[in-house]
């Protein structure tokens, strides 16, 4: 079995260099006098603050992370003032660079079990769906299809009719009308993909997705190069829905351990109680339920006929 580590040196190099460039001497308590040829901190300054040699840190920033202890990574993360998600990303990059089975984790598509679909269908007043790490919607309830109708009706869906947030964002210009804050939504989508790519660098489908989008979208290339990462995300999104009008919804993803071979999350969109957004979402749910009943086979709706 091939246990060679992933070659993610370029990701490590770009990530650490960008985070170093974003810090100023004032932020880490260093004197600010004298001219500086580079933005942010110098490598030797990071090395001193992290308690390692300049040569060692320079090697690390060139992507040679295999064999680095967790204590040293913690010191670097603390010095660069990484967020919790960024720290997770750095440790994922280090883990993937180690020789052994863990570094060769591959993704394998699996079907969503019926019990999960039953769970989704039971949530009639919330849009609930299951997505994989590449941001494909692999299962959803009727309200999900109604809420994200522009995505489901987009030419960017796959051969099974499943939408992908990244492909819709960067390939379908209609996404600019659907998402009220397109830039924020696109940035979050790319940050989630970047974190997933760090966790599973051997995911061929992920590489193909990013490669496809990079060839046609300047926005994707710019956001991907920023190395922003999001592991835990949730909050508020605003939509301009073609049927329901403006909608402000809260959303929260939850890890869903369906299979050890593929990462899944359950995401729920709902409206604040007592608001016009709740009224619009209820109306959309009513339309969705009606359409769902209309598409059911006759013998299922009227047993015995």
């Amino acid at each position: 079995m091939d246990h060679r580590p992933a070659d993610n040196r370029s990701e490590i190099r770009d990530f650490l260099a960008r985070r170093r460039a974003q810090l100023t001497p004032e932020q880490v308590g260093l004197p600010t006098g004298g001219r500086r040829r580079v933005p942010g901190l110098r490598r030797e300054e990071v090395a001193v603050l992290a308690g390692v040699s300049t040569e060692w840190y320079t090697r690390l920033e060139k992507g040679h992370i295999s064999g680095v202890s967790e204590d040293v990574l913690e010191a670097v993360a603390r010095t660069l003032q990484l967020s919790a998600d960024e720290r997770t990303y750095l440790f994922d990059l280090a883990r993937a660079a180690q020789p052994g089975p863990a570094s060769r984790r591959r993704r394998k598509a699996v079907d969503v079990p019926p019990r999960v679909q039953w769970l989704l269908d039971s949530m009639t007043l919330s849009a609930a769906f299951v997505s994989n790490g590449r941001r494909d919607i692999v299962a959803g309830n009727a309200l999900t299809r109604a809420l994200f109708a522009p995505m489901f009706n987009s030419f960017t869906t796959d051969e099974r009719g499943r939408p992908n947030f990244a492909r819709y964002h960067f390939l379908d210009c209609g996404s600019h009308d659907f998402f009220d804050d397109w830039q924020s939504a696109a940035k979050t989508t790319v940050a989630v993909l970047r974190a997933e790519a760090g966790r599973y660098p051997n995911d061929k489908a992920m590489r193909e997705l990013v490669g496809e989008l990079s060839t046609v979208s300047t926005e994707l290339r710019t956001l991907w190069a920023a190395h922003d990462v999001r592991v835990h995300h949730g909050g508020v999104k605003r939509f301009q829905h073609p049927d329901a009008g403006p909608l402000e919804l809260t959303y929260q993803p939850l890890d869903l351990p369906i299979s050890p071979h593929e990462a899944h999350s359950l995401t729920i969109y709902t409206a604040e109680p007592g608001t016009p957004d709740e009224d619009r979402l209820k109306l959309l749910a009513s339309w969705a339920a009606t359409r769902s009943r209309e598409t059911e086979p006759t013998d299922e709706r009227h047993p015995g006929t």
Side-chain angles (χ1 to χ4, degrees), residues 17-24 27 39-41 86 226 228:
R18 281 184 173 274
R19 293 303 169 268
R20 175 169 59 84
Q22 290 174 352
L23 280 178
T24 65
Q27 289 175 293
L41 299 180
E86 290 169 340
D228 291 332

Side-chain angles (χ1 to χ4, degrees), residues 174-189:
S175 64
H176 289 264
D177 297 322
F178 180 55
F179 293 101
D180 189 65
D181 188 345
W182 182 91
Q183 187 66 34
S184 176
K187 185 176 181 181
T188 296
T189 294

Side-chain angles (χ1 to χ4, degrees), residues 19-288:
R19 293 303 169 268
R20 175 169 59 84
Q22 290 174 352
L23 280 178
T24 65
E26 296 93 332
Q27 289 175 293
V28 297
L30 292 177
T32 59
R35 297 183 60 183
R36 307 181 69 86
R37 293 181 299 173
V38 296
L41 299 180
R42 302 184 180 99
R43 284 177 176 172
E44 56 267 28
E45 292 171 333
V46 174
V48 169
L49 293 170
V52 298
S53 69
T54 300
E55 293 75 16
W56 187 94
Y57 179 75
T58 299
R59 178 176 171 79
L60 174 62
E61 197 173 285
K62 289 182 178 180
H64 301 284
I65 203 170
S66 179
V68 177
S69 70
E70 289 191 1
D71 288 343
V72 171
L73 287 178
E74 285 283 7
V76 171
R78 185 170 55 252
T79 299
L80 295 178
Q81 300 183 10
L82 301 185
S83 67
D85 285 355
E86 290 169 340
R87 177 195 173 279
T88 298
Y89 179 65
L90 177 62
F91 274 74
D92 282 339
L93 291 175
R95 192 175 299 110
Q98 306 303 323
S103 70
R104 301 294 293 173
R105 290 181 294 181
R106 294 183 180 273
R107 317 314 302 272
K108 180 181 179 181
V110 297
D111 292 329
V112 174
R115 67 179 183 275
V116 174
Q117 187 62 58
W118 302 338
L119 171 67
L120 298 175
D121 292 338
S122 72
M123 302 183 201
T124 56
L125 294 181
S126 297
F129 61 86
V130 175
S131 58
N132 58 26
R134 295 175 296 278
R135 306 298 290 141
D136 299 307
I137 295 181
V138 297
N141 61 7
L143 186 49
T144 291
R145 293 192 64 89
L147 174 62
F148 293 103
M151 286 179 55
F152 279 92
N153 296 331
S154 171
F155 67 90
T156 59
T157 58
D158 66 12
E159 65 277 1
R160 298 171 61 180
R162 302 184 308 184
N164 175 276
F165 280 94
R167 297 188 84 245
Y168 179 65
H169 267 108
F170 297 104
L171 298 182
D172 192 330
C173 60
S175 64
H176 289 264
D177 297 322
F178 180 55
F179 293 101
D180 189 65
D181 188 345
W182 182 91
Q183 187 66 34
S184 176
K187 185 176 181 181
T188 296
T189 294
V190 174
V192 171
L193 289 181
R194 172 61 83 175
E196 184 72 4
R199 190 179 302 115
Y200 295 98
N202 299 302
D203 186 342
K204 181 181 177 182
M206 173 70 82
R207 294 197 302 270
E208 291 175 347
L209 173 64
V210 175
E212 173 195 3
L213 300 180
S214 295
T215 60
V216 296
S217 173
T218 302
E219 294 95 339
L220 183 282
R221 291 195 297 272
T222 299
L223 291 172
W224 190 255
H227 277 265
D228 291 332
V229 294
R230 293 282 295 274
V231 178
H232 305 290
H233 63 289
V236 176
K237 278 188 180 178
R238 290 177 292 276
F239 306 91
Q240 293 295 331
H241 195 277
D243 296 321
L247 281 170
E248 180 175 288
L249 304 177
T250 62
Y251 71 100
Q252 183 61 55
L254 305 168
D255 290 338
L256 191 65
I258 293 177
S259 165
H261 302 295
E262 176 73 286
H264 292 91
S265 62
L266 167 65
T267 303
I268 301 171
Y269 278 78
T270 190
E272 181 180 349
T275 64
D277 298 293
E278 184 187 35
D279 295 335
R280 298 188 190 102
L281 190 62
K282 285 182 177 179
L283 182 60
L284 195 59
S286 177
W287 292 341

